[in-house]
Amino acid sequence: MPPHAPGMDDPVELPEEVEAFDVGVIGLGPAGVTASTELVRYGYNVMAVERERIGGLVHLARKIDNFPGIPPSSPGTIVVEMLWEHLGRFPPKIVNADVRNIYQTGVGYAMSLGETSVAVRSLILAPGTRPKLLGLPGEDLPWVYHSWTDVRAGPGSTVAVIGGGDLAIDQALSLHDGDRRVEMLLRSGTTRCNRHLQGELEVAEGVHIRTDCPPLRFEEEQGPTVVYAKGGHEIKLPVDAVLVSIGREPALPHLNDAILGLDRARYLAPEGLLLAGDVVADRRRQVAIAMGSGLDAAMRADEYLRRVDE
Ligand SMILES: Cc1cc2nc3c(=O)[nH]c(=O)nc-3n(C[C@H](O)[C@H](O)[C@H](O)COP(=O)(O)OP(=O)(O)OC[C@H]3O[C@@H](n4cnc5c(N)ncnc54)[C@H](O)[C@@H]3O)c2cc1C
């Protein structure tokens, strides 16, 4: 995008032919869909950018029991359908791209879409989170995954799941539902999940929990193997695949070619840069909260635009 790499606060000059919108939205999970449709409903010209698939993390949810209005235990895909339907009712312009950089322009922001860029007066960041990595040797091997829907190991296979929080257990149960044997490796002596999930875990035959077993590395000389520590020894566990699920962290793009932290992003709210959804939810990462946060960001963007137009 810009010919030079400006400092964090230097506005970037854009060529005149850049496409312009009132509001840009990065990410079309529940937060981004709610924010962009609400702004279209208010009459704004909105561009929403999604790099993967509309619905975001909801695609991974095995069953959603905490979203009033949908039948009990609906799979996340039901919510994805609802999001699509709402987008059809109040359609923003949707572009499939990975926005790695955003820039301050002096009159708003620019989103870099690879070869081109788009100018917006206000920008909502709803990019969700990305998986945390263990940083262990072998984590980049092709049979080590970070999302259960990517796991290429069918019924009857053995999958090791590393992690003991809500997400790890939810994903372990999803793998178990697909008739896989699941070996959970917990660093500590206990799981850290809500009681509902704990109850499901306790009756899930085929999910085995190994406590106080920190993983050390992944190797494949004799087939896919997780090596973990137990009581001062190294234990080798042969598996077909591994799912690492040790938490997620905010997935913000760069601002003016520099890393954008959450504090810095929050500081820019009075200048029309708003955050929505899991990216700012800390540990409260839920669909209904993400949607509420998207709505809140849309209303703040509306207030901001009205203020600058006065
Ligand atoms: C296994 C699992 C089970 C879950 N179960 C439940 C449940 O039962 N109930 C519940 O309420 N919640 C559940 N959740 C949580 C819920 O899915 C999230 O809270 C919700 O999806 C967050 O919405 P979001 O829009 O903030 O982020 P996300 O859903 O993460 O969406 C963000 C979107 O932004 C896109 N994006 C990111 N960066 C860029 C970029 N630079 N450029 C373009 N696009 C970008 C991503 O591709 C993604 O589509 C579950 C999550 C998981 C993983």
Side-chain angles (χ1 to χ4, degrees), residues 26-32 49-53 55-58 60-66 97-100 126-129 148 167 170-171 248 251 253 276-279 285-288 290:
I26 297 179
L28 278 174
V49 191
E50 169 55 51
R51 70 172 167 212
E52 227 177 308
R53 52 187 177 170
L57 279 190
V58 182
L60 305 190
R62 184 172 48 102
K63 54 178 185 174
I64 298 198
D65 274 324
N66 60 352
D98 185 1
V99 183
R100 302 218 169 146
T129 52
W148 78 270
L167 274 192
D170 198 78
Q171 299 198 86
R248 302 186 64 90
D278 274 11
V279 73
R285 294 179 181 147
Q286 300 292 320
V287 174

mmCIF file of all heavy atoms in Angstrom, residues 26-32 49-53 55-58 60-66 97-100 126-129 148 167 170-171 248 251 253 276-279 285-288 290, ligand 1:
data_model
loop_
_atom_site.group_PDB
_atom_site.id
_atom_site.type_symbol
_atom_site.label_atom_id
_atom_site.label_comp_id
_atom_site.label_asym_id
_atom_site.label_seq_id
_atom_site.Cartn_x
_atom_site.Cartn_y
_atom_site.Cartn_z
ATOM 1 N N ILE A 26 -13.797 -5.355 9.485
ATOM 2 C CA ILE A 26 -12.861 -6.461 9.233
ATOM 3 C C ILE A 26 -13.294 -7.671 10.038
ATOM 4 O O ILE A 26 -13.310 -7.647 11.270
ATOM 5 C CB ILE A 26 -11.418 -6.043 9.588
ATOM 6 C CG1 ILE A 26 -11.003 -4.883 8.675
ATOM 7 C CG2 ILE A 26 -10.465 -7.234 9.431
ATOM 8 C CD1 ILE A 26 -9.610 -4.353 8.947
ATOM 9 N N GLY A 27 -13.676 -8.731 9.319
ATOM 10 C CA GLY A 27 -14.123 -9.971 9.958
ATOM 11 C C GLY A 27 -15.635 -10.103 9.895
ATOM 12 O O GLY A 27 -16.358 -9.166 10.246
ATOM 13 N N LEU A 28 -16.110 -11.244 9.408
ATOM 14 C CA LEU A 28 -17.558 -11.477 9.352
ATOM 15 C C LEU A 28 -17.958 -12.700 10.168
ATOM 16 O O LEU A 28 -18.639 -13.604 9.687
ATOM 17 C CB LEU A 28 -18.035 -11.593 7.898
ATOM 18 C CG LEU A 28 -18.270 -10.252 7.191
ATOM 19 C CD1 LEU A 28 -18.609 -10.451 5.718
ATOM 20 C CD2 LEU A 28 -19.366 -9.426 7.867
ATOM 21 N N GLY A 29 -17.498 -12.734 11.417
ATOM 22 C CA GLY A 29 -18.060 -13.661 12.399
ATOM 23 C C GLY A 29 -19.327 -13.004 12.946
ATOM 24 O O GLY A 29 -19.803 -11.998 12.398
ATOM 25 N N PRO A 30 -19.870 -13.512 14.043
ATOM 26 C CA PRO A 30 -21.090 -12.926 14.605
ATOM 27 C C PRO A 30 -20.962 -11.425 14.879
ATOM 28 O O PRO A 30 -21.902 -10.664 14.632
ATOM 29 C CB PRO A 30 -21.275 -13.690 15.913
ATOM 30 C CG PRO A 30 -20.567 -14.980 15.697
ATOM 31 C CD PRO A 30 -19.432 -14.708 14.774
ATOM 32 N N ALA A 31 -19.800 -10.979 15.376
ATOM 33 C CA ALA A 31 -19.641 -9.551 15.697
ATOM 34 C C ALA A 31 -19.647 -8.700 14.427
ATOM 35 O O ALA A 31 -20.359 -7.693 14.342
ATOM 36 C CB ALA A 31 -18.341 -9.334 16.467
ATOM 37 N N GLY A 32 -18.864 -9.099 13.442
ATOM 38 C CA GLY A 32 -18.752 -8.309 12.209
ATOM 39 C C GLY A 32 -20.049 -8.299 11.415
ATOM 40 O O GLY A 32 -20.428 -7.268 10.835
ATOM 41 N N VAL A 49 -14.953 -7.104 5.107
ATOM 42 C CA VAL A 49 -13.915 -7.967 4.529
ATOM 43 C C VAL A 49 -13.769 -9.224 5.382
ATOM 44 O O VAL A 49 -13.623 -9.137 6.602
ATOM 45 C CB VAL A 49 -12.561 -7.228 4.466
ATOM 46 C CG1 VAL A 49 -11.571 -8.026 3.629
ATOM 47 C CG2 VAL A 49 -12.724 -5.839 3.893
ATOM 48 N N GLU A 50 -13.826 -10.371 4.729
ATOM 49 C CA GLU A 50 -13.671 -11.651 5.439
ATOM 50 C C GLU A 50 -12.620 -12.484 4.702
ATOM 51 O O GLU A 50 -12.695 -12.654 3.501
ATOM 52 C CB GLU A 50 -15.016 -12.390 5.485
ATOM 53 C CG GLU A 50 -14.963 -13.824 5.962
ATOM 54 C CD GLU A 50 -14.299 -14.012 7.332
ATOM 55 O OE1 GLU A 50 -14.682 -13.327 8.285
ATOM 56 O OE2 GLU A 50 -13.366 -14.850 7.422
ATOM 57 N N ARG A 51 -11.654 -13.021 5.455
ATOM 58 C CA ARG A 51 -10.566 -13.746 4.782
ATOM 59 C C ARG A 51 -10.872 -15.227 4.590
ATOM 60 O O ARG A 51 -10.300 -15.880 3.730
ATOM 61 C CB ARG A 51 -9.274 -13.585 5.538
ATOM 62 C CG ARG A 51 -9.236 -14.301 6.854
ATOM 63 C CD ARG A 51 -7.846 -14.258 7.457
ATOM 64 N NE ARG A 51 -7.902 -14.667 8.843
ATOM 65 C CZ ARG A 51 -7.100 -14.207 9.791
ATOM 66 N NH1 ARG A 51 -6.186 -13.322 9.485
ATOM 67 N NH2 ARG A 51 -7.208 -14.634 11.015
ATOM 68 N N GLU A 52 -11.786 -15.773 5.411
ATOM 69 C CA GLU A 52 -11.995 -17.211 5.347
ATOM 70 C C GLU A 52 -13.439 -17.545 5.031
ATOM 71 O O GLU A 52 -13.815 -17.691 3.888
ATOM 72 C CB GLU A 52 -11.584 -17.823 6.685
ATOM 73 C CG GLU A 52 -10.713 -19.037 6.550
ATOM 74 C CD GLU A 52 -10.290 -19.537 7.923
ATOM 75 O OE1 GLU A 52 -9.781 -18.717 8.714
ATOM 76 O OE2 GLU A 52 -10.508 -20.733 8.188
ATOM 77 N N ARG A 53 -14.263 -17.679 6.066
ATOM 78 C CA ARG A 53 -15.663 -17.987 5.802
ATOM 79 C C ARG A 53 -16.583 -17.230 6.754
ATOM 80 O O ARG A 53 -16.262 -17.059 7.937
ATOM 81 C CB ARG A 53 -15.938 -19.486 5.875
ATOM 82 C CG ARG A 53 -15.459 -20.121 7.136
ATOM 83 C CD ARG A 53 -15.611 -21.618 7.071
ATOM 84 N NE ARG A 53 -15.070 -22.199 8.288
ATOM 85 C CZ ARG A 53 -15.206 -23.466 8.635
ATOM 86 N NH1 ARG A 53 -15.856 -24.294 7.850
ATOM 87 N NH2 ARG A 53 -14.695 -23.918 9.757
ATOM 88 N N GLY A 55 -19.170 -16.334 9.328
ATOM 89 C CA GLY A 55 -19.589 -17.099 10.511
ATOM 90 C C GLY A 55 -18.450 -17.291 11.489
ATOM 91 O O GLY A 55 -18.664 -17.514 12.668
ATOM 92 N N GLY A 56 -17.208 -17.219 10.993
ATOM 93 C CA GLY A 56 -16.043 -17.302 11.879
ATOM 94 C C GLY A 56 -16.024 -18.577 12.705
ATOM 95 O O GLY A 56 -16.316 -19.671 12.214
ATOM 96 N N LEU A 57 -15.734 -18.426 13.973
ATOM 97 C CA LEU A 57 -15.536 -19.582 14.861
ATOM 98 C C LEU A 57 -16.806 -20.384 15.107
ATOM 99 O O LEU A 57 -16.742 -21.514 15.574
ATOM 100 C CB LEU A 57 -14.997 -19.120 16.213
ATOM 101 C CG LEU A 57 -13.509 -18.830 16.321
ATOM 102 C CD1 LEU A 57 -13.139 -18.643 17.777
ATOM 103 C CD2 LEU A 57 -12.682 -19.938 15.705
ATOM 104 N N VAL A 58 -17.959 -19.786 14.794
ATOM 105 C CA VAL A 58 -19.210 -20.504 15.048
ATOM 106 C C VAL A 58 -19.228 -21.831 14.279
ATOM 107 O O VAL A 58 -19.862 -22.789 14.692
ATOM 108 C CB VAL A 58 -20.422 -19.627 14.656
ATOM 109 C CG1 VAL A 58 -21.717 -20.355 14.954
ATOM 110 C CG2 VAL A 58 -20.401 -18.340 15.439
ATOM 111 N N LEU A 60 -17.111 -23.961 14.265
ATOM 112 C CA LEU A 60 -16.482 -25.013 15.084
ATOM 113 C C LEU A 60 -17.365 -25.475 16.235
ATOM 114 O O LEU A 60 -17.055 -26.464 16.898
ATOM 115 C CB LEU A 60 -15.157 -24.516 15.681
ATOM 116 C CG LEU A 60 -14.095 -23.981 14.744
ATOM 117 C CD1 LEU A 60 -12.802 -23.779 15.518
ATOM 118 C CD2 LEU A 60 -13.864 -24.913 13.591
ATOM 119 N N ALA A 61 -18.441 -24.741 16.513
ATOM 120 C CA ALA A 61 -19.244 -25.050 17.714
ATOM 121 C C ALA A 61 -20.067 -26.324 17.482
ATOM 122 O O ALA A 61 -20.880 -26.395 16.563
ATOM 123 C CB ALA A 61 -20.133 -23.863 18.067
ATOM 124 N N ARG A 62 -19.859 -27.302 18.342
ATOM 125 C CA ARG A 62 -20.528 -28.613 18.239
ATOM 126 C C ARG A 62 -22.025 -28.463 18.460
ATOM 127 O O ARG A 62 -22.841 -28.936 17.698
ATOM 128 C CB ARG A 62 -19.907 -29.500 19.324
ATOM 129 C CG ARG A 62 -20.309 -30.913 19.405
ATOM 130 C CD ARG A 62 -19.390 -31.579 20.443
ATOM 131 N NE ARG A 62 -19.324 -30.777 21.666
ATOM 132 C CZ ARG A 62 -19.983 -31.064 22.785
ATOM 133 N NH1 ARG A 62 -20.740 -32.124 22.846
ATOM 134 N NH2 ARG A 62 -19.866 -30.301 23.843
ATOM 135 N N LYS A 63 -22.384 -27.803 19.558
ATOM 136 C CA LYS A 63 -23.798 -27.528 19.817
ATOM 137 C C LYS A 63 -23.887 -26.284 20.687
ATOM 138 O O LYS A 63 -23.114 -26.112 21.622
ATOM 139 C CB LYS A 63 -24.487 -28.716 20.468
ATOM 140 C CG LYS A 63 -23.832 -29.222 21.714
ATOM 141 C CD LYS A 63 -24.643 -30.350 22.282
ATOM 142 C CE LYS A 63 -24.086 -30.803 23.598
ATOM 143 N NZ LYS A 63 -24.878 -31.790 24.259
ATOM 144 N N ILE A 64 -24.854 -25.438 20.327
ATOM 145 C CA ILE A 64 -24.986 -24.165 21.037
ATOM 146 C C ILE A 64 -26.243 -24.221 21.902
ATOM 147 O O ILE A 64 -27.344 -24.378 21.392
ATOM 148 C CB ILE A 64 -25.031 -22.997 20.033
ATOM 149 C CG1 ILE A 64 -23.706 -22.983 19.269
ATOM 150 C CG2 ILE A 64 -25.314 -21.678 20.729
ATOM 151 C CD1 ILE A 64 -23.358 -21.723 18.559
ATOM 152 N N ASP A 65 -26.037 -24.108 23.200
ATOM 153 C CA ASP A 65 -27.152 -24.200 24.146
ATOM 154 C C ASP A 65 -27.395 -22.888 24.870
ATOM 155 O O ASP A 65 -28.256 -22.826 25.747
ATOM 156 C CB ASP A 65 -26.845 -25.283 25.206
ATOM 157 C CG ASP A 65 -27.259 -26.666 24.716
ATOM 158 O OD1 ASP A 65 -28.282 -26.756 24.016
ATOM 159 O OD2 ASP A 65 -26.557 -27.630 25.038
ATOM 160 N N ASN A 66 -26.601 -21.867 24.548
ATOM 161 C CA ASN A 66 -26.718 -20.628 25.326
ATOM 162 C C ASN A 66 -27.102 -19.446 24.453
ATOM 163 O O ASN A 66 -26.744 -18.319 24.736
ATOM 164 C CB ASN A 66 -25.390 -20.338 26.050
ATOM 165 C CG ASN A 66 -24.231 -20.184 25.081
ATOM 166 O OD1 ASN A 66 -24.369 -20.436 23.892
ATOM 167 N ND2 ASN A 66 -23.099 -19.754 25.593
ATOM 168 N N ALA A 97 -10.847 -11.183 1.479
ATOM 169 C CA ALA A 97 -9.423 -10.805 1.516
ATOM 170 C C ALA A 97 -8.944 -10.845 2.961
ATOM 171 O O ALA A 97 -9.733 -10.813 3.898
ATOM 172 C CB ALA A 97 -9.229 -9.395 0.954
ATOM 173 N N ASP A 98 -7.625 -10.941 3.104
ATOM 174 C CA ASP A 98 -7.005 -10.919 4.425
ATOM 175 C C ASP A 98 -6.428 -9.518 4.624
ATOM 176 O O ASP A 98 -5.490 -9.131 3.929
ATOM 177 C CB ASP A 98 -5.890 -11.978 4.447
ATOM 178 C CG ASP A 98 -5.261 -12.118 5.819
ATOM 179 O OD1 ASP A 98 -5.687 -11.414 6.751
ATOM 180 O OD2 ASP A 98 -4.345 -12.951 5.949
ATOM 181 N N VAL A 99 -7.007 -8.745 5.533
ATOM 182 C CA VAL A 99 -6.506 -7.373 5.761
ATOM 183 C C VAL A 99 -5.364 -7.450 6.762
ATOM 184 O O VAL A 99 -5.594 -7.597 7.958
ATOM 185 C CB VAL A 99 -7.613 -6.452 6.308
ATOM 186 C CG1 VAL A 99 -7.084 -5.034 6.458
ATOM 187 C CG2 VAL A 99 -8.827 -6.471 5.410
ATOM 188 N N ARG A 100 -4.159 -7.372 6.260
ATOM 189 C CA ARG A 100 -3.011 -7.469 7.188
ATOM 190 C C ARG A 100 -2.627 -6.112 7.749
ATOM 191 O O ARG A 100 -2.042 -6.018 8.810
ATOM 192 C CB ARG A 100 -1.821 -8.051 6.442
ATOM 193 C CG ARG A 100 -2.176 -9.416 5.877
ATOM 194 C CD ARG A 100 -1.027 -10.330 5.972
ATOM 195 N NE ARG A 100 -1.491 -11.669 5.680
ATOM 196 C CZ ARG A 100 -0.773 -12.569 5.071
ATOM 197 N NH1 ARG A 100 0.456 -12.284 4.700
ATOM 198 N NH2 ARG A 100 -1.245 -13.768 4.852
ATOM 199 N N ALA A 126 -13.351 -6.545 13.837
ATOM 200 C CA ALA A 126 -14.023 -7.703 14.449
ATOM 201 C C ALA A 126 -13.338 -8.988 13.981
ATOM 202 O O ALA A 126 -13.984 -9.906 13.480
ATOM 203 C CB ALA A 126 -15.506 -7.707 14.066
ATOM 204 N N PRO A 127 -12.019 -9.062 14.157
ATOM 205 C CA PRO A 127 -11.266 -10.182 13.578
ATOM 206 C C PRO A 127 -11.196 -11.417 14.470
ATOM 207 O O PRO A 127 -10.564 -12.407 14.100
ATOM 208 C CB PRO A 127 -9.872 -9.589 13.390
ATOM 209 C CG PRO A 127 -9.734 -8.638 14.548
ATOM 210 C CD PRO A 127 -11.124 -8.106 14.830
ATOM 211 N N GLY A 128 -11.809 -11.353 15.641
ATOM 212 C CA GLY A 128 -11.771 -12.521 16.524
ATOM 213 C C GLY A 128 -10.379 -12.812 17.048
ATOM 214 O O GLY A 128 -9.586 -11.896 17.314
ATOM 215 N N THR A 129 -10.100 -14.100 17.187
ATOM 216 C CA THR A 129 -8.854 -14.539 17.835
ATOM 217 C C THR A 129 -8.162 -15.590 16.978
ATOM 218 O O THR A 129 -8.763 -16.155 16.077
ATOM 219 C CB THR A 129 -9.189 -15.175 19.193
ATOM 220 O OG1 THR A 129 -10.189 -16.184 18.967
ATOM 221 C CG2 THR A 129 -9.705 -14.162 20.186
ATOM 222 N N TRP A 148 -10.436 -28.455 15.416
ATOM 223 C CA TRP A 148 -10.850 -29.847 15.252
ATOM 224 C C TRP A 148 -11.405 -30.125 13.857
ATOM 225 O O TRP A 148 -11.295 -31.246 13.354
ATOM 226 C CB TRP A 148 -11.860 -30.252 16.335
ATOM 227 C CG TRP A 148 -13.272 -29.780 16.114
ATOM 228 C CD1 TRP A 148 -13.819 -28.607 16.532
ATOM 229 C CD2 TRP A 148 -14.310 -30.480 15.428
ATOM 230 N NE1 TRP A 148 -15.126 -28.522 16.146
ATOM 231 C CE2 TRP A 148 -15.460 -29.672 15.462
ATOM 232 C CE3 TRP A 148 -14.385 -31.709 14.773
ATOM 233 C CZ2 TRP A 148 -16.664 -30.038 14.873
ATOM 234 C CZ3 TRP A 148 -15.588 -32.081 14.188
ATOM 235 C CH2 TRP A 148 -16.710 -31.254 14.238
ATOM 236 N N LEU A 167 -12.578 -24.757 25.503
ATOM 237 C CA LEU A 167 -12.434 -25.003 24.062
ATOM 238 C C LEU A 167 -11.808 -26.356 23.785
ATOM 239 O O LEU A 167 -12.224 -27.075 22.873
ATOM 240 C CB LEU A 167 -11.557 -23.928 23.419
ATOM 241 C CG LEU A 167 -12.256 -22.654 22.975
ATOM 242 C CD1 LEU A 167 -11.339 -21.833 22.099
ATOM 243 C CD2 LEU A 167 -13.547 -22.957 22.248
ATOM 244 N N ASP A 170 -14.498 -28.963 24.515
ATOM 245 C CA ASP A 170 -15.542 -28.950 23.486
ATOM 246 C C ASP A 170 -15.033 -29.622 22.213
ATOM 247 O O ASP A 170 -15.733 -30.423 21.591
ATOM 248 C CB ASP A 170 -15.952 -27.501 23.203
ATOM 249 C CG ASP A 170 -17.294 -27.429 22.496
ATOM 250 O OD1 ASP A 170 -18.309 -27.584 23.182
ATOM 251 O OD2 ASP A 170 -17.321 -27.266 21.272
ATOM 252 N N GLN A 171 -13.796 -29.312 21.851
ATOM 253 C CA GLN A 171 -13.243 -29.888 20.613
ATOM 254 C C GLN A 171 -12.945 -31.384 20.788
ATOM 255 O O GLN A 171 -13.122 -32.175 19.865
ATOM 256 C CB GLN A 171 -11.989 -29.120 20.197
ATOM 257 C CG GLN A 171 -12.292 -27.654 19.919
ATOM 258 C CD GLN A 171 -11.211 -26.982 19.101
ATOM 259 O OE1 GLN A 171 -11.226 -27.032 17.879
ATOM 260 N NE2 GLN A 171 -10.271 -26.357 19.758
ATOM 261 N N ARG A 248 -6.709 -18.912 22.989
ATOM 262 C CA ARG A 248 -6.678 -18.072 21.781
ATOM 263 C C ARG A 248 -6.274 -16.657 22.170
ATOM 264 O O ARG A 248 -6.430 -16.247 23.315
ATOM 265 C CB ARG A 248 -8.053 -18.090 21.103
ATOM 266 C CG ARG A 248 -8.518 -19.502 20.729
ATOM 267 C CD ARG A 248 -9.811 -19.497 19.939
ATOM 268 N NE ARG A 248 -9.689 -18.858 18.657
ATOM 269 C CZ ARG A 248 -9.350 -19.456 17.526
ATOM 270 N NH1 ARG A 248 -9.123 -20.755 17.499
ATOM 271 N NH2 ARG A 248 -9.276 -18.787 16.386
ATOM 272 N N ALA A 251 -6.507 -11.237 17.266
ATOM 273 C CA ALA A 251 -5.890 -11.349 15.929
ATOM 274 C C ALA A 251 -5.953 -10.018 15.190
ATOM 275 O O ALA A 251 -6.526 -9.923 14.114
ATOM 276 C CB ALA A 251 -6.631 -12.439 15.135
ATOM 277 N N PRO A 253 -4.966 -6.709 12.949
ATOM 278 C CA PRO A 253 -4.041 -6.399 11.845
ATOM 279 C C PRO A 253 -2.998 -5.375 12.309
ATOM 280 O O PRO A 253 -3.102 -4.847 13.415
ATOM 281 C CB PRO A 253 -4.960 -5.786 10.777
ATOM 282 C CG PRO A 253 -6.100 -5.210 11.551
ATOM 283 C CD PRO A 253 -6.267 -6.063 12.780
ATOM 284 N N ALA A 276 -14.839 -4.989 18.137
ATOM 285 C CA ALA A 276 -16.071 -5.736 18.432
ATOM 286 C C ALA A 276 -15.792 -7.227 18.504
ATOM 287 O O ALA A 276 -14.992 -7.764 17.739
ATOM 288 C CB ALA A 276 -17.114 -5.456 17.342
ATOM 289 N N GLY A 277 -16.469 -7.885 19.435
ATOM 290 C CA GLY A 277 -16.455 -9.352 19.487
ATOM 291 C C GLY A 277 -15.341 -9.938 20.332
ATOM 292 O O GLY A 277 -14.798 -9.298 21.234
ATOM 293 N N ASP A 278 -14.990 -11.169 20.013
ATOM 294 C CA ASP A 278 -14.007 -11.920 20.807
ATOM 295 C C ASP A 278 -12.690 -11.183 20.981
ATOM 296 O O ASP A 278 -11.992 -11.374 21.976
ATOM 297 C CB ASP A 278 -13.703 -13.264 20.128
ATOM 298 C CG ASP A 278 -14.684 -14.346 20.531
ATOM 299 O OD1 ASP A 278 -15.706 -14.019 21.155
ATOM 300 O OD2 ASP A 278 -14.431 -15.520 20.202
ATOM 301 N N VAL A 279 -12.337 -10.369 20.005
ATOM 302 C CA VAL A 279 -11.036 -9.695 20.062
ATOM 303 C C VAL A 279 -10.906 -8.852 21.329
ATOM 304 O O VAL A 279 -9.802 -8.680 21.850
ATOM 305 C CB VAL A 279 -10.792 -8.874 18.764
ATOM 306 C CG1 VAL A 279 -11.655 -7.623 18.703
ATOM 307 C CG2 VAL A 279 -9.332 -8.503 18.601
ATOM 308 N N ARG A 285 -15.882 -15.203 25.698
ATOM 309 C CA ARG A 285 -15.991 -15.339 24.245
ATOM 310 C C ARG A 285 -17.180 -16.220 23.898
ATOM 311 O O ARG A 285 -17.078 -17.450 23.928
ATOM 312 C CB ARG A 285 -14.690 -15.893 23.681
ATOM 313 C CG ARG A 285 -13.550 -14.897 23.876
ATOM 314 C CD ARG A 285 -12.238 -15.414 23.343
ATOM 315 N NE ARG A 285 -11.193 -14.430 23.581
ATOM 316 C CZ ARG A 285 -9.929 -14.740 23.835
ATOM 317 N NH1 ARG A 285 -9.550 -15.998 23.868
ATOM 318 N NH2 ARG A 285 -9.047 -13.798 24.029
ATOM 319 N N GLN A 286 -18.311 -15.574 23.612
ATOM 320 C CA GLN A 286 -19.559 -16.271 23.325
ATOM 321 C C GLN A 286 -20.275 -15.554 22.191
ATOM 322 O O GLN A 286 -20.125 -14.337 22.016
ATOM 323 C CB GLN A 286 -20.464 -16.268 24.570
ATOM 324 C CG GLN A 286 -19.855 -16.952 25.786
ATOM 325 C CD GLN A 286 -19.689 -18.455 25.625
ATOM 326 O OE1 GLN A 286 -20.557 -19.135 25.080
ATOM 327 N NE2 GLN A 286 -18.566 -18.998 26.058
ATOM 328 N N VAL A 287 -21.091 -16.305 21.453
ATOM 329 C CA VAL A 287 -21.780 -15.740 20.282
ATOM 330 C C VAL A 287 -22.639 -14.528 20.656
ATOM 331 O O VAL A 287 -22.552 -13.470 20.016
ATOM 332 C CB VAL A 287 -22.669 -16.814 19.617
ATOM 333 C CG1 VAL A 287 -23.488 -16.206 18.496
ATOM 334 C CG2 VAL A 287 -21.826 -17.958 19.093
ATOM 335 N N ALA A 288 -23.473 -14.687 21.690
ATOM 336 C CA ALA A 288 -24.407 -13.603 22.031
ATOM 337 C C ALA A 288 -23.641 -12.343 22.458
ATOM 338 O O ALA A 288 -24.035 -11.219 22.130
ATOM 339 C CB ALA A 288 -25.355 -14.053 23.135
ATOM 340 N N ALA A 290 -20.594 -11.542 21.452
ATOM 341 C CA ALA A 290 -19.972 -10.994 20.227
ATOM 342 C C ALA A 290 -20.985 -10.183 19.435
ATOM 343 O O ALA A 290 -20.682 -9.099 18.918
ATOM 344 C CB ALA A 290 -19.391 -12.123 19.387
HETATM 345 C C1 LIG B 1 -15.040 -25.062 19.466
HETATM 346 C C2 LIG B 1 -15.835 -23.836 19.795
HETATM 347 C C3 LIG B 1 -17.074 -23.982 20.392
HETATM 348 C C4 LIG B 1 -17.827 -22.851 20.730
HETATM 349 N N1 LIG B 1 -19.039 -23.009 21.313
HETATM 350 C C5 LIG B 1 -19.784 -21.938 21.626
HETATM 351 C C6 LIG B 1 -21.075 -22.075 22.229
HETATM 352 O O1 LIG B 1 -21.550 -23.188 22.460
HETATM 353 N N2 LIG B 1 -21.757 -20.944 22.538
HETATM 354 C C7 LIG B 1 -21.282 -19.685 22.288
HETATM 355 O O2 LIG B 1 -21.971 -18.699 22.559
HETATM 356 N N3 LIG B 1 -20.062 -19.527 21.725
HETATM 357 C C8 LIG B 1 -19.302 -20.601 21.400
HETATM 358 N N4 LIG B 1 -18.057 -20.445 20.844
HETATM 359 C C9 LIG B 1 -17.507 -19.079 20.739
HETATM 360 C C10 LIG B 1 -18.031 -18.295 19.532
HETATM 361 O O3 LIG B 1 -17.865 -19.057 18.363
HETATM 362 C C11 LIG B 1 -17.273 -16.978 19.452
HETATM 363 O O4 LIG B 1 -17.438 -16.270 20.668
HETATM 364 C C12 LIG B 1 -17.770 -16.084 18.306
HETATM 365 O O5 LIG B 1 -17.683 -16.756 17.080
HETATM 366 C C13 LIG B 1 -16.946 -14.799 18.257
HETATM 367 O O6 LIG B 1 -17.384 -14.004 17.209
HETATM 368 P P1 LIG B 1 -16.444 -12.896 16.557
HETATM 369 O O7 LIG B 1 -17.218 -12.353 15.392
HETATM 370 O O8 LIG B 1 -15.958 -11.962 17.565
HETATM 371 O O9 LIG B 1 -15.134 -13.671 16.059
HETATM 372 P P2 LIG B 1 -14.951 -14.903 15.078
HETATM 373 O O10 LIG B 1 -16.122 -15.804 15.113
HETATM 374 O O11 LIG B 1 -13.621 -15.449 15.394
HETATM 375 O O12 LIG B 1 -14.931 -14.215 13.634
HETATM 376 C C14 LIG B 1 -13.871 -13.406 13.222
HETATM 377 C C15 LIG B 1 -13.802 -13.436 11.707
HETATM 378 O O13 LIG B 1 -12.837 -12.482 11.272
HETATM 379 C C16 LIG B 1 -12.090 -13.016 10.192
HETATM 380 N N5 LIG B 1 -10.813 -12.333 10.153
HETATM 381 C C17 LIG B 1 -9.863 -12.307 11.128
HETATM 382 N N6 LIG B 1 -8.837 -11.518 10.772
HETATM 383 C C18 LIG B 1 -9.126 -11.047 9.532
HETATM 384 C C19 LIG B 1 -8.428 -10.198 8.633
HETATM 385 N N7 LIG B 1 -7.235 -9.690 8.965
HETATM 386 N N8 LIG B 1 -8.984 -9.916 7.439
HETATM 387 C C20 LIG B 1 -10.198 -10.462 7.112
HETATM 388 N N9 LIG B 1 -10.907 -11.269 7.932
HETATM 389 C C21 LIG B 1 -10.381 -11.558 9.131
HETATM 390 C C22 LIG B 1 -11.965 -14.507 10.554
HETATM 391 O O14 LIG B 1 -11.698 -15.299 9.397
HETATM 392 C C23 LIG B 1 -13.343 -14.787 11.155
HETATM 393 O O15 LIG B 1 -14.269 -15.249 10.199
HETATM 394 C C24 LIG B 1 -17.312 -21.550 20.465
HETATM 395 C C25 LIG B 1 -16.066 -21.420 19.847
HETATM 396 C C26 LIG B 1 -15.338 -22.537 19.511
HETATM 397 C C27 LIG B 1 -13.986 -22.379 18.864
#
